[in-house]
Amino acid sequence: MADKSVKKVVLAYSGGLDSSTIVKWLQTELGAEVATFTADLGQGEEVEPARHKAITLGVKPEYAFVEDVREEFVRDYVFPMFRANTVYEGQYLLGTSIARPLIAKKQIEIARRIGADAVAHGATGKGNDQVRFEIAYYALEPDIHVVAPWREWDFKSREALLDFAEKHQIPITKDKRNEAPFSVDANLLHSSSEGKVLEDPGVEAPEYVHMRTISPEAAPDTPTVFTMDFENGDPVAIDGQKLSPAALLTKLNQLGHDNGVGRLDLVENRYVGMKSRGVYETPGGTILLHAHRGMESITLDRGAMHLKDELMPKYASLIYNGFWFAPEREMLQAAIDLSQKNVTGQVRVKLYKGSVTVIGRTSPYSLYDQELVTFEEGKVAYDHRDAAGFIKLNALRLRVAAKRDRRG
Amino acid sequence: MADKSVKKVVLAYSGGLDSSTIVKWLQTELGAEVATFTADLGQGEEVEPARHKAITLGVKPEYAFVEDVREEFVRDYVFPMFRANTVYEGQYLLGTSIARPLIAKKQIEIARRIGADAVAHGATGKGNDQVRFEIAYYALEPDIHVVAPWREWDFKSREALLDFAEKHQIPITKDKRNEAPFSVDANLLHSSSEGKVLEDPGVEAPEYVHMRTISPEAAPDTPTVFTMDFENGDPVAIDGQKLSPAALLTKLNQLGHDNGVGRLDLVENRYVGMKSRGVYETPGGTILLHAHRGMESITLDRGAMHLKDELMPKYASLIYNGFWFAPEREMLQAAIDLSQKNVTGQVRVKLYKGSVTVIGRTSPYSLYDQELVTFEEGKVAYDHRDAAGFIKLNALRLRVAAKRDRRG
Amino acid sequence: MADKSVKKVVLAYSGGLDSSTIVKWLQTELGAEVATFTADLGQGEEVEPARHKAITLGVKPEYAFVEDVREEFVRDYVFPMFRANTVYEGQYLLGTSIARPLIAKKQIEIARRIGADAVAHGATGKGNDQVRFEIAYYALEPDIHVVAPWREWDFKSREALLDFAEKHQIPITKDKRNEAPFSVDANLLHSSSEGKVLEDPGVEAPEYVHMRTISPEAAPDTPTVFTMDFENGDPVAIDGQKLSPAALLTKLNQLGHDNGVGRLDLVENRYVGMKSRGVYETPGGTILLHAHRGMESITLDRGAMHLKDELMPKYASLIYNGFWFAPEREMLQAAIDLSQKNVTGQVRVKLYKGSVTVIGRTSPYSLYDQELVTFEEGKVAYDHRDAAGFIKLNALRLRVAAKRDRRG
Amino acid sequence: MADKSVKKVVLAYSGGLDSSTIVKWLQTELGAEVATFTADLGQGEEVEPARHKAITLGVKPEYAFVEDVREEFVRDYVFPMFRANTVYEGQYLLGTSIARPLIAKKQIEIARRIGADAVAHGATGKGNDQVRFEIAYYALEPDIHVVAPWREWDFKSREALLDFAEKHQIPITKDKRNEAPFSVDANLLHSSSEGKVLEDPGVEAPEYVHMRTISPEAAPDTPTVFTMDFENGDPVAIDGQKLSPAALLTKLNQLGHDNGVGRLDLVENRYVGMKSRGVYETPGGTILLHAHRGMESITLDRGAMHLKDELMPKYASLIYNGFWFAPEREMLQAAIDLSQKNVTGQVRVKLYKGSVTVIGRTSPYSLYDQELVTFEEGKVAYDHRDAAGFIKLNALRLRVAAKRDRRG
C-alpha cells in the first residue's frame, strides 16, 4: 500500500514515540529521505528537543525544522474563526481543527523549499485529522504525495510497533510501554482528550483528564473581573494592556484556567462518519467567544448579525471537515470580516467557577447609544404609530391566508 | 386614533394598575364592553384576584375569564421550541416571545365564544410584544379589530395616567405612584427585566433585578446531580420520576434557581429596529437546552443535527418576531419534529454555581454504541483504507482548482 | 478485490450487453448465484426480453425479476421532488438521480425475499450513480454486501470485456462491437447523454444525441395550449382529464416532445469531484416545473415560498448526491409537503418551439383574489399610511448605523 | 399628514404628468423649493425635455438636474447583481428593484450639494418602490425628510388630481385624461407592466403590453448565435467586440428583442404583503443570466457554486425589499465577488424564438479541461477504488442508523 516511489518526505513531527517511529518507518520501509517539521503551536512542550531527537533518528540537521508559529496561528487562524462566533454542533470551539491547516501549509512550504515530493502526518485512519491534513496538502500542492503511515503500515498490534521502534533504537520510556489511558492534542487554543477511559459517553469524564483548567469546584470563591478591548472584531488588550495575539490568548488561557472556565464534555459527529466522545478544554477561547458576542451586541447591525448566525453552522462544518483552504470558506470569511469593521470597543468580563459573564459593553461605535435611542426631536424620533403600520403590513399575508382558509 | 366602532373587546389582563386602567379606558373612551382574560402561565401570581378586580371594574362576572394554561404552554409551545435548541442571537431563550401566541390564541377563542369584535393588549409601542400579539391575532382571526391602548391613548405622562386611574377609582398602591426601577415579564419559562436601571449596557445589572435565581456566588458549594429522561425530544422525568410538562419545568426551575443557573444579561436587536438591553432568568430552560443537546448528541444523525443547526437561527427569529402561526414556522417545526423520533434516553446533569454540565448520556436508540462502533467483523467494519478514498475524492475539486491557479 | 464470500446477489439488470456480462462475471468470478431485477421506469424499452435474456444466462426463472414501477416512481419520487421546484446547480432536473433510490429499494426488497447477501449494479467508478445506488443500499440494509463490478473487475480494455462476453456466449450485436458515441440513461422523467462526442464543453451538442424531443426549430409554428390541474402540489389532470401520475407524466412528455421542450446542455459538478458535461431531455418535467411554480404563485404564502426557495439547493444536492433515504432529506420533505396543502387549482400552459409559458392561473384557494385584494371596508383594507410606519421601522436600524458611521 | 416644515426637496422626476403634478403640489402645499432629478437609466426617453418641463414648472434652472447614469447603473448595480445569478421567487430578474437605490443615492448627493432637507418620490403607497426609495434614503442620510406625495395628498380621485394639474397649468395630453390600461416602469435592464388589464392572473397578458420584445412567434425562423466574453464574472465583449457595460447591455437587449427573448408573466409577493401580477421584459438580462451560468459552469468550484446557490434567495430578497445599502447585502456581495475571480472566458449563445441556450463554453481558467480530467499518470489520477472508500464513509452514519432502527 505504501508508495515506494516517494523520495523525500516532510513529516509533521512531534518528537514523541509514535512520531519517531514514523520517521524510521519512512526511512526504512519507503526508503525516503525524511525532513521533520515541529511547530510550536503553544502545545506546552519545548520544540527544540524534537529537533535533536530527529537528528538522532538520522534526519539531516538542516532538515530538522522547528518553528514558533504561535502568533501566526492566533492572528491568521484563531481570531478569524472567532469573528464568526464559531461553534461546531452547538458547542465545540474547533481547537484541534483550526491548527491543522497551518501545520499543513508549513509542511508544503518546506517541501517546496527542499524539493520534497511528499508529506506525511501521524494522524490515525479513523479520525478527522487525517482529512484536515490531507485536504489542506492537496489544496495547496495538488500533485504532492501524501503518506499516512497509520493507514498504510502493517503493525498488527501496539507490541509490533514497539518491537519495530526497539529494533530501530528509538528510546521507549517505561510509561509508553502501556498505551495512554486517553489520547491528547494540544495547542494554544485548546487541549483535547479522547478515547479509552472516555469511550463510554454514559460515564463522567474523570478529573485527571483535564490539563488546562482547574475544576470549577477548585476555583476561587470570588469572581475575577477584567476588561477586554476589541478592534475590528479581534481582541487587542486585557485590562488596558495591549498584547500580541498569542500573548493575549495566553493571558486569557491563564485567566480561564484559574477560574475553571472552558471545559466541555461532548459527543460529536466526525466527518468520517461515526460519533466520538471528547473532553475539550478551551479556557481562553471560551472567554473570547462570550466577550466577542458581547462586543458585537452593541456594535453590529441586526441584519449583519443574523446573517452571521445563519452562515455560522456551515462555516463551522467547513473548518471541522478540513476545508479551510476551500473557496467557500474564503467566501464566508470575506462576508464575516466585512461585518467586523466597527466591532471595536470594550467589554467587561466576569469569571466565576466555570462561568463567563459579560457584565458591561461600551464602544465609540455603539449602535446602542442613549443619544441615538432617544434621537433628536423630529428626526429619527421613534413614533409609536409607525408600529401600527409595521405590524399591519407584516401581518397582511397571514390575514389573507386566514381568510382563504376560512373559505376553503 | 382609537377605533370607536369597537363594541366588545377581549383584553389580555394581568390585574395590575396599568392593565386595570386599560379596562376603564376601553369602557369610557371607546364605549366598549370589556371582557378580561387572565392566564396562569406560571408567572408566580394568583389569577383569581385578577378576576375579582375585573368584576370590580365593571366587567360582567361571566366575562372575567381566568385560565390555568401552564400545561398547554409548556407542552405545545415551550417543548416544541426546545426541540430545535432555539436561541435568538446566540443567547436568548425566547421566554417572553413564546408566551405571546398562546395568550393571543386564547383571546381569539374567547372573542369567538362571546361574539367580541375586538381584542386588546397592554404592550407598549416600542417593544416586540405588540407585534407578537397582533400578528397572532390577525393570523387567527383576520377581521378582528385590534386595540393597542399604549399606542392610542393620549396620556402625556405617567401622572396623567394615574389621574385617570384615580378618577375611575382604580386602587393605586403607594409603590405604584413611582415608576418601577425596571419592567418585568414572567411566566413558567422565564422572567425578564428591562429598562430604567438596566438601560446603560456598560453598567452591570444590579443583583436585585433577579427574581428567579439566587446568584452563583450564593449557590451551594457542592454540585447538584440528577438525571433527565427524554422521549422523542421532550423531557418526561427527573431522577426517574415521571412529571407532566409544567410540573417538570417547575422542578427544573427550582433546581436552576437553587444553583444560580440561567441568568443572562444581553443587548438584543428588537424586531421594531432598535437595540435593547435585558436581563433574563431562565433557570429550567437553560438546563433543558443543555440536557436536550446532550440527549441529541448520541441519538441524532449528523445530517439531521446539522440541518437543525442551520435552520435554527431562522426558526428563532420567527418566534422572536411573532410569527409562531406563520406557515414557514410550521414547516420548520414539521422538519424539526420529524428529527426527534429517537431522541429518547437519559442524560445526567450537574449544576454548580451557575453552570450546567451534561456528564453522561445513555439511550436504547444510541448511535454511539460500543457494539456499533466496533461492528461485526466483515460487515460495517470500518476499514482504514476507505479513508484514503474518502479524502481523495473530497479533495479532488480543490486539486483541480490548485492546478488551474498554477497555470493562470 | 472482488468479495468472493458473496453467495447470492441481486443485480440491477437492464438486459444489455454490459449488464449481461456482469451476470456472467458474478457467476464465474464470484461464484455467486445471480438474481436479476429489471425495472420498467419508462425508459422506453420492454422489460420482458430482459427476463428471457437473464434466464438464458443461467438465472433461475423465479430469480429473473421484472416489475413495472412507473406509477410508484412518479408518485413517490418524481412528484415529491417537484413539490420543491428542485433544480441542481440552477438547471438540472435530476432525472437520473431520482430513479436510483427506487431501484436500490426494490433490489433490497428482493434480496430480503430470496435471502440474498449482496446486491450489485452496473454503474461505473467515475460517476454519481454508484454513490446513489450504494448509499441507498446501505441506508436500507446496513449489512448488505455491495458488488460494483466496474470498480472491481480487471478488464483492461473494451476488447477484453468483449472477449469475456464472447467466451460466455453472450450475444453481441454488431453495433456493440464499437463503443457508442455517447452513453445514455433514460426513464419516464428524462433521458441523459454523456461522454465521447459530448466531452468538449466548447462544442455544441449534435442534434442526434437527442432522443426525447424534436428540436425547437422542427416544432410546429403554432403554440400548443392546455390546462393542468393540481391538487396539494401534484398535477392530477391535463385539459380536464384526470390521469394517474405515470400517465400524466407520459402525456406531458409527449406534449414537450412535440414542441421541442426540455433540452438542457450543461456542465455539472459531480459528487465524486470532477465536472462533467451532459445533455438532458426532460420534456414533461420542464413543463411541470413551470406549471407548479405558476400554481404556487397564487396559492402559496410568501413566507412558505421563500423558505422553500432557501431550502431547495440543499434538497437538490441531497438527491443529486444520493441521500434520498437520509433523515435530513426526509426532514426537508416534511417541511415542503406541509407547504403544499393548498397548492390546488388550475394553470394554463403554452408551449412554443422550446419554451414553456404559464399564461393563466386560477384556484379556489387563491391568495390573489379580487375580493381579498380589495377587502371589505374597515377590515383588512390596506391603508397607505401603514406603509409609512412599515418603512420607518424597517429602516430604523440603518438610520442608527448611518448616524454612527457619521460620528465614527 | 404632509410635513410642512420641509424647505427644499429633491424630487425623483420623470417629466410626466404625475411627476409634474408632484412638483406643483410640493411647491404649493408644502411651500417648499423643489429641485428635480431626472436620470437617464436607459428607460428609452430623452431626459433633456424633463429639464425644460421642470423649469417651466418653476424649478430654478440650476436645480433641474439631469444625468446619464447608464454606465454607473449597469457597472455598479446590474452586473454585481448578475454575478449572483439573482432571481426573485425563482423567476423575476429584479429589473425595477435594482434601479431604485441608484436613483435614491443620486437624490441624496444632490440634497447634500444644494442643502436640501428633504427628498421625494412618485411611488404609490401600495407598492415596493416606496420602500426601496425610502430605505435607501434613510440608509444614506438618516436625518433626511422623506415626502411621499401618493401617501400624503388627499386627491380622492384621478379627476381631482387632473383638476389640480389643470389649475396649475400643467399640460395634459389627451391620452392622459384617461388612465393608462396598465402602468409601466422601464430602464436599461427591463420594462415592467402592471395593473388594470393585467390584474386577473387567470387571463393571459395581451400582446400589446410588451414593449421591449417582439413575440417569439414573430421572431425569425433561424437562430441567432454569438459569443460573449466574461472577465471576473462580468461580460465584456459580444462577438469579440469590447463594449462598455451599458453598451453591452444595450446590445444584448437588441439581440433579445429581435428573438422574442426575456418575457415573463408572473404573480409575485410584494414586501408590503400582497401578491401582484406583473409582466416583465428583460431581454438582455435573460441572456446574461444564462450566459453567466454557462461561464461559471466550467470556471467555478463546486463548493463556491453551491454556496452561491444557497445564498442567492436571501440576496434576491434583500434587493427586492430595498436593502441594497444594508450591511448584510454588502456582506453577501463580498462573498459573491470573491467567487468570481476566475469566471473568465467565452460562451457561445443561441437565441431562437424566445429561448436562450448556451451551446459552448471555453476558458483559460477552466476547471473542466481535458488535460485536467485525464491528469498526468500517478498524480491527480482518479482511482476507481477511491470511490469505494468515499461511498463507504459517506454511508457510514446511515448504516449505523439503520442498525439502530432495526434494534429499536
Side-chain angles (χ1 to χ4, degrees), chain A residues 72-386:
Chain A
E72 185 176 354
F73 175 52
V74 180
R75 185 187 65 232
D76 295 344
Y77 295 79
V78 174
F79 282 1
M81 181 172 78
F82 274 82
R83 285 176 210 145
N85 304 317
T86 315
V87 284
Y88 178 71
E89 299 191 342
Q91 304 190 80
Y92 172 37
L93 294 175
L94 296 170
T96 296
S97 324
I98 191 63
R100 300 316 185 192
L102 171 56
I103 298 171
K105 178 165 159 274
K106 293 287 173 185
Q107 285 179 269
I108 293 296
E109 286 169 2
I110 291 170
R112 286 179 190 150
R113 229 178 306 141
I114 67 170
D117 57 340
V119 286
H121 62 77
T124 71
K126 269 200 167 179
N128 294 304
D129 285 329
Q130 56 178 340
V131 190
R132 296 168 187 149
F133 276 120
E134 298 178 29
I135 287 181
Y137 296 148
Y138 287 132
L140 297 171
E141 190 62 49
D143 291 339
I144 198 80
H145 289 261
V146 174
V147 185
W150 284 98
R151 291 202 310 261
E152 299 178 17
W153 60 30
D154 45 12
F155 300 128
K156 298 273 186 236
S157 63
R158 186 139 189 93
E159 265 324 298
L161 190 149
L162 290 172
D163 287 349
F164 177 90
E166 206 152 51
K167 192 179 117 197
H168 289 92
Q169 295 168 314
I170 299 168
I172 305 168
T173 56
K174 226 177 200 151
D175 62 315
K176 291 286 175 176
R177 276 275 152 216
N178 305 307
E179 278 189 87
F182 55 91
S183 74
V184 164
D185 177 62
N187 59 48
L188 199 51
L189 179 56
H190 97 331
S191 70
S192 77
S193 306
E194 285 190 325
K196 302 283 155 48
V197 301
L198 295 170
E199 253 175 26
D200 183 346
V203 173
E204 186 171 4
E207 179 58 30
Y208 68 80
V209 305
H210 301 93
M211 56 196 86
R212 286 288 178 91
T213 54
I214 59 172
S215 77
E217 288 88 335
D221 288 332
T222 51
T224 301
V225 174
F226 56 95
T227 64
M228 287 178 66
D229 290 349
F230 282 84
E231 276 176 20
N232 301 322
D234 294 335
V236 294
I238 293 178
D239 274 339
Q241 188 191 359
K242 288 256 172 195
L243 292 167
S244 73
L248 191 143
L249 185 53
T250 303
K251 174 80 178 158
L252 284 184
N253 278 337
Q254 190 60 50
L255 287 161
H257 168 276
D258 294 349
N259 287 281
V261 165
R263 293 181 167 195
L264 177 64
D265 169 353
L266 92 163
V267 175
E268 77 200 49
N269 291 290
R270 288 194 186 153
Y271 190 29
V272 290
M274 78 279 280
K275 288 182 182 286
S276 77
R277 194 261 194 104
V279 169
Y280 298 109
E281 292 166 273
T282 321
T286 301
I287 299 168
L288 178 52
L289 178 71
H290 283 81
H292 183 258
R293 272 225 176 259
M295 193 74 266
E296 287 191 330
S297 76
I298 60 165
T299 54
L300 196 61
D301 168 76
R302 181 184 70 197
M305 186 184 290
H306 290 197
L307 178 57
K308 284 186 67 203
D309 285 349
E310 285 174 27
L311 299 178
M312 189 277 286
K314 186 177 191 72
Y315 178 82
S317 284
L318 286 170
I319 295 177
Y320 185 85
N321 293 347
F323 290 92
W324 181 262
F325 295 114
E328 65 272 30
R329 202 281 308 173
E330 291 167 354
M331 289 168 65
L332 291 173
Q333 194 73 55
I336 290 158
D337 288 355
L338 190 67
S339 75
Q340 300 293 297
K341 78 178 158 213
N342 289 307
V343 180
T344 295
Q346 189 175 83
V347 296
R348 290 181 72 228
V349 178
K350 178 168 126 181
L351 308 182
Y352 177 67
K353 284 183 175 286
S355 65
V356 185
T357 315
V358 171
I359 58 175
R361 328 99 186 120
T362 58
S363 169
Y365 304 100
S366 181
L367 297 170
Y368 183 108
D369 187 292
Q370 215 63 15
E371 186 193 342
L372 285 168
V373 173
T374 320
F375 295 121
E376 289 171 62
E377 198 49 48
K379 295 206 166 172
V380 192
Y382 184 97
D383 185 334
H384 281 204
R385 285 164 308 178
D386 288 342

Side-chain angles (χ1 to χ4, degrees), chain C residues 120-138:
Chain C
H121 62 78
T124 71
K126 269 200 167 180
N128 295 304
D129 285 329
Q130 57 178 341
V131 189
R132 296 167 187 150
F133 276 120
E134 298 178 28
I135 286 181
Y137 296 148
Y138 287 132

Side-chain angles (χ1 to χ4, degrees), chain C residues 219-250:
Chain C
D221 287 332
T222 51
T224 301
V225 174
F226 57 96
T227 63
M228 287 177 68
D229 291 349
F230 282 83
E231 276 176 21
N232 301 323
D234 294 335
V236 294
I238 293 178
D239 274 340
Q241 189 191 358
K242 288 257 172 195
L243 292 167
S244 72
L248 191 143
L249 185 52
T250 303

Side-chain angles (χ1 to χ4, degrees), chain C residues 199 275 300 328 368 397, chain D residues 199 275 300 328 368 397:
Chain C
E199 254 176 25
K275 289 182 181 286
L300 196 60
E328 64 272 32
Y368 182 109
R397 65 181 173 100
Chain D
E199 256 176 22
K275 287 181 182 289
L300 197 61
E328 65 272 32
Y368 183 109
R397 63 182 174 100

Side-chain angles (χ1 to χ4, degrees), chain B residues 1-6 9 11 13 17-34 36 57-59 118-123 146-156 160-161 163-170:
Chain B
M1 189 103 187
D3 181 350
K4 305 229 171 180
S5 74
V6 163
V9 57
L11 170 69
Y13 180 64
L17 170 62
D18 290 357
S19 211
S20 297
T21 305
I22 290 173
V23 173
K24 273 296 158 205
W25 183 84
L26 292 168
Q27 290 168 336
T28 58
E29 295 297 306
L30 263 60
E33 165 140 41
V34 175
T36 55
L57 292 166
V59 172
V119 285
H121 63 78
V146 174
V147 186
W150 284 97
R151 290 202 309 261
E152 299 178 18
W153 61 31
D154 46 12
F155 301 127
K156 298 274 187 233
L161 190 149
D163 288 349
F164 176 90
E166 205 153 51
K167 192 179 117 197
H168 289 91
Q169 296 170 315
I170 298 167

Side-chain angles (χ1 to χ4, degrees), chain B residues 269-391:
Chain B
N269 291 290
R270 286 192 186 156
Y271 190 31
V272 291
M274 79 278 281
K275 288 181 182 286
S276 77
R277 195 261 195 103
V279 170
Y280 299 109
E281 291 165 274
T282 320
T286 301
I287 299 168
L288 178 50
L289 177 71
H290 284 80
H292 183 259
R293 272 225 177 258
M295 193 75 266
E296 287 191 331
S297 75
I298 60 164
T299 55
L300 197 61
D301 167 76
R302 181 184 72 198
M305 186 184 289
H306 290 196
L307 178 57
K308 285 187 65 204
D309 285 347
E310 285 174 28
L311 299 178
M312 188 277 285
K314 185 176 191 75
Y315 178 82
S317 285
L318 286 169
I319 295 177
Y320 185 87
N321 292 348
F323 289 94
W324 181 263
F325 295 115
E328 66 272 32
R329 202 280 309 171
E330 291 167 354
M331 289 167 66
L332 291 173
Q333 194 72 56
I336 291 158
D337 288 356
L338 189 68
S339 75
Q340 300 292 297
K341 78 178 157 213
N342 289 307
V343 180
T344 295
Q346 189 176 82
V347 296
R348 290 183 70 227
V349 178
K350 179 167 126 182
L351 309 182
Y352 177 66
K353 286 186 174 284
S355 65
V356 185
T357 315
V358 171
I359 57 174
R361 327 98 185 120
T362 58
S363 169
Y365 304 100
S366 180
L367 296 170
Y368 183 109
D369 187 292
Q370 214 64 15
E371 186 194 342
L372 285 168
V373 173
T374 320
F375 297 118
E376 287 171 63
E377 197 51 45
K379 295 206 166 173
V380 194
Y382 184 96
D383 185 333
H384 281 206
R385 286 163 308 178
D386 289 341
F390 179 75
I391 295 167

